[in-house]
Amino acid sequence: MEPTGRLGEGALRALVPRVLAGLVRRGEDFDAAEDALQEALLEALRVWPEHPPRDPRAWLTTVAIRRLVDARRSEAARSRREEVTYAEPRPGATEEGDDTLFLLFCCCSPDLAPASQVALTLRAVAGLSTREIADAFFVPEATMAQRISRAKRTLRGRRLDQPGDLAVVLRVLSLVYTAGHAGRVDLAAEAIRLARQLTLATEEPEARGLLALMLLNHARRAARLDAAGRIVPLDRQDRGLWDTREIAEGVRVLQSALALQRPGRYQVEAAIAALHDDAASAEETDWPQILAWYDDLVALSDDPVRQDPAAVLGRAVAVGSVLGAAAGLRETDRLREVLGERHRWHAVRGYLHELGGDLAAAAAAYAEAARRATNLAEHDHLVRQAARARAGTEDGRPSRRG
């Protein structure tokens, strides 16, 4: 730990969840512990420039514990004492290592709704502000503040000795990554960091599968947008911009998971991503093998059309690429009732119509998808797809999102 009062923002952000986790591990109430830590941080900003502690983590822990003790003794005893402010606290008992995984499991408590699990994880584990979290999910700051407050109220007064199970933690990490993948690279990197830690703490192959999936998708980030910030479809991306080291790592992690012969959703999705990343060009994509993996993916659900429509929609693209556009369109018909109102369903049908050479139908489907899209970048991309189909551009190649 940097022994001065000049910790960088990144170092301080990494320190905060470790201190909070230590307090929660002691049995402190989550909401009260976070409030006490915020008070300790304010004290640090005032004291550390002139009196830097030898052990910043121990300093913050000790001051936060004193705040908690003061609060329990009396609400009137919250005034800061001079000797606490200016004298460096004796280092408290702190555990070595990174407690963020413990805190992650606590934030994924089964008592919380999925949206609250994600919000609380980003606040407590990733150290993001309420405004940053709100921006990541495109909601007003007040809405996100209410969501976080409800989550902390739900946990108030409860000892966090029944944290969320691994499946919930994996789902929350996946959602955090998706939020970053949509534009906040730092969120994506934080999800990858936590997934790495998780694979060191458990032999569950699905943890490795999720890490592999993140790495294989993250490797394409530099090619996903053009210089103007517009979406570049997967088949039109400059594959020279893909991170080959990240791809190689993702493949190694995936292979280690598959070797355990306990396949699951994240491993299958990672295998599909690996096949896309392995192709030197769009034309060399191994669509038959991708279709086989999609068959495995939809087989994981009893009623995939209703339980996992995204997988069925992805399989429709693979069906169209292997068996022809008409077969792919028939697959999308199965999803009309479930996804017919979503822009993604219309976009996939636009691609399949274009694949089959029906540019008029493709243009209409892309235009309908654009009308329903809520993300500005996706809306603009779909408008361009519709215009290109109408114009019957010279290359006229179908496009896949990456």
Side-chain angles (χ1 to χ4, degrees):
M1 184 61 62
E2 186 176 348
T4 74
R6 297 184 294 274
L7 264 69
E9 180 181 351
L12 188 59
R13 174 169 286 186
L15 182 64
V16 168
R18 296 175 65 186
V19 175
L20 180 58
L23 296 173
V24 174
R25 193 187 286 276
R26 283 169 47 94
E28 301 291 352
D29 177 80
F30 190 102
D31 198 11
E34 188 179 44
D35 287 344
L37 178 54
Q38 292 301 316
E39 289 189 37
L41 288 170
L42 291 175
E43 296 290 351
L45 291 175
R46 184 162 61 164
V47 173
W48 287 7
E50 295 184 6
H51 303 279
R54 289 187 298 270
D55 186 340
R57 181 182 178 187
W59 194 101
L60 288 171
T61 299
T62 303
V63 173
I65 289 173
R66 289 180 180 176
R67 291 291 178 266
L68 288 164
V69 170
D70 286 347
R72 279 196 291 267
R73 286 174 177 167
S74 171
E75 287 296 324
R78 286 184 176 272
S79 59
R80 299 176 174 85
R81 298 179 178 137
E82 192 73 9
E83 64 271 22
V84 174
T85 301
Y86 289 102
E88 178 182 341
R90 287 175 296 177
T94 58
E95 298 184 17
E96 293 299 321
D98 193 338
D99 281 336
T100 50
L101 280 182
F102 170 76
L103 190 59
L104 172 63
F105 274 81
C106 291
C107 291
C108 296
S109 166
D111 294 326
L112 298 176
S116 296
Q117 291 168 340
V118 174
L120 200 57
T121 295
L122 291 175
R123 174 65 177 272
V125 181
L128 299 184
S129 68
T130 302
R131 173 170 291 181
E132 288 175 313
I133 302 170
D135 289 344
F137 287 94
F138 305 104
V139 299
E141 184 177 357
T143 299
M144 187 56 67
Q146 292 175 352
R147 187 177 297 174
I148 293 172
S149 295
R150 283 197 301 269
K152 292 195 288 186
R153 282 199 302 271
T154 299
L155 297 179
R156 184 172 297 157
R158 304 186 190 185
R159 289 184 65 90
L160 295 175
D161 53 2
Q162 291 184 330
D165 62 27
L166 181 59
V168 175
V169 170
L170 291 174
R171 178 177 53 76
V172 169
L173 279 181
S174 177
L175 291 171
V176 171
Y177 175 81
T178 299
H181 180 69
R184 284 286 307 270
V185 175
D186 56 344
L187 283 192
E190 178 66 13
I192 290 173
R193 184 185 74 83
L194 291 171
R196 287 188 196 280
Q197 291 188 40
L198 200 57
T199 61
L200 298 176
T202 176
E203 292 296 319
E204 169 56 47
E206 275 292 79
R208 299 187 204 178
L210 178 59
L211 175 59
L213 177 62
M214 290 178 179
L215 290 169
L216 291 164
N217 283 329
H218 202 242
R220 300 194 294 259
R221 69 192 182 282
R224 201 164 278 127
L225 301 175
D226 65 14
R230 297 173 301 191
I231 292 173
V232 180
L234 177 58
D235 65 339
R236 296 172 183 267
Q237 288 179 10
D238 179 356
R239 300 186 179 216
L241 296 176
W242 291 0
D243 189 331
T244 55
R245 293 180 60 183
E246 206 162 27
I247 292 172
E249 182 187 1
V251 170
R252 287 196 302 270
V253 173
L254 174 61
Q255 289 173 337
S256 71
L258 293 175
L260 298 176
Q261 298 186 341
R262 299 204 308 272
R265 177 174 309 280
Y266 296 120
Q267 295 170 73
V268 174
E269 291 180 348
I272 293 170
L275 286 167
H276 282 297
D277 286 4
D278 187 56
S281 66
E283 291 74 19
E284 297 177 60
T285 303
D286 189 348
W287 282 107
Q289 187 65 23
I290 289 176
L291 177 56
W293 279 112
Y294 266 116
D295 287 341
D296 291 343
L297 183 59
V298 298
L300 295 175
S301 303
D302 295 330
D303 182 5
V305 168
R306 297 192 177 279
Q307 295 174 357
D308 196 0
V312 179
L313 191 61
R315 182 180 179 277
V317 173
V319 167
S321 298
V322 175
L323 303 177
L329 286 165
R330 285 194 296 272
E331 289 296 308
T332 65
D333 286 337
R334 301 168 55 203
L335 296 163
R336 187 182 300 272
E337 181 181 345
V338 178
L339 294 181
E341 296 301 314
R342 304 291 183 87
H343 82 277
R344 182 63 177 152
W345 184 80
H346 292 277
V348 167
R349 286 181 64 85
Y351 159 75
L352 291 169
H353 281 303
E354 190 174 5
L355 182 66
D358 189 346
L359 296 183
Y366 284 138
E368 183 63 21
R371 188 179 71 82
R372 296 172 183 269
T374 56
N375 179 279
L376 181 59
E378 289 188 341
H379 171 271
D380 291 346
H381 169 69
L382 290 165
V383 167
R384 291 194 303 274
Q385 293 285 78
R388 184 175 56 78
R390 288 193 192 97
T393 55
E394 182 177 345
D395 63 358
R397 292 186 302 162
S399 301
R400 302 182 187 96
R401 286 284 307 280

